Amino acid sequence: MKDIFHRLRAGELVALQDPEFHRVDEVVTRTLALSPALNAATSIDEVRGRLSEIIGSQLDKSTTVFAPFYTNFGRFISIGKDVFINHACTFLDMGGITLEDHVLLGPKVNLITENHPVDPVTRRGMLCKPILIKRNAWIGAGATILPGVTIGENAVVAAGAVVAKNVAANTIVGGVPAKLIKTIG
């Protein structure tokens, strides 16, 4: 049997009563303990260092993250070079979040990889799917990207949009749910 982290990343249903769920709780507890120092940081370098500790890999010096920054897990976040993450963004990353190079996130962007089944019997379980934001994409203020979504290269997600489906490269989407507004170029 695959371990719980592989099962979460593979999109398998994982019950909160799973015998390995304590391993998830350990990572969450560690992340919660490290988050206050991240959000009390007084320089971009300090934020970058604290977030690197949470995600378990060194952020490139070209990447800027403004505090506060919120994550419940942290270990499945990958952030490229020249990325900008504005204030008060939330990453729920048990399904995996990848930001390629040159991505821009406006304030209060929500990247949500975690979900629950609709069936009341299994609803307390977790279903996770990764989010991929490709090179040079821009996510506007207050937008929410839902589990399993890929945002294409150079795409723009309008402020306040809720994105439940993949966004093609070189397009602009907006609204709830997000729909194509126009093609770029």
Side-chain angles (χ1 to χ4, degrees):
M1 183 166 104
K2 294 182 281 186
D3 80 8
I4 194 164
F5 299 118
H6 286 98
R7 290 183 285 135
L8 284 168
R9 295 290 298 264
E12 296 177 22
L13 177 61
V14 175
L16 298 181
Q17 301 81 16
D18 187 288
E20 286 194 315
F21 208 86
H22 68 92
R23 296 180 64 204
V24 172
D25 289 337
E26 289 168 3
V27 175
V28 169
T29 298
R30 178 183 181 277
T31 299
L32 291 174
L34 293 171
S35 292
L38 164 70
N39 290 320
T42 58
S43 73
I44 299 301
D45 286 337
E46 187 180 359
V47 170
R48 193 182 301 112
R50 301 282 185 184
L51 184 54
S52 294
E53 185 178 3
I54 288 170
I55 69 174
S57 64
Q58 190 64 41
L59 289 177
D60 190 83
K61 290 211 177 278
S62 64
T63 289
T64 299
V65 180
F66 286 169
F69 176 90
Y70 306 104
T71 184
N72 63 333
F73 193 71
R75 285 299 178 166
F76 295 157
I77 297 172
S78 175
I79 300 174
K81 295 179 181 178
D82 292 310
V83 170
F84 177 76
I85 300 171
N86 213 321
H87 298 279
C89 289
T90 299
F91 287 27
L92 301 186
D93 64 293
M94 284 186 207
I97 293 173
T98 301
L99 306 183
E100 292 185 350
D101 296 345
H102 304 284
V103 166
L104 301 172
L105 299 184
K108 297 184 180 180
V109 165
N110 300 297
L111 304 181
I112 312 298
T113 68
E114 302 160 21
N115 205 351
H116 301 280
V118 174
D119 182 351
V121 174
T122 57
R123 187 169 297 154
R124 301 229 7 116
M126 302 216 28
L127 289 170
C128 300
K129 293 183 182 176
I131 291 173
L132 171 59
I133 302 181
K134 293 195 171 192
R135 189 179 191 286
N136 209 39
W138 173 23
I139 313 300
T144 297
I145 313 299
L146 296 176
V149 169
T150 295
I151 306 296
E153 188 169 338
N154 300 316
V156 176
V157 174
V162 176
V163 184
K165 295 181 180 176
N166 291 346
V167 175
N170 301 303
T171 61
I172 300 173
V173 299
V176 179
K179 294 184 182 345
L180 179 66
I181 295 173
K182 72 182 227 178
T183 300
I184 300 170

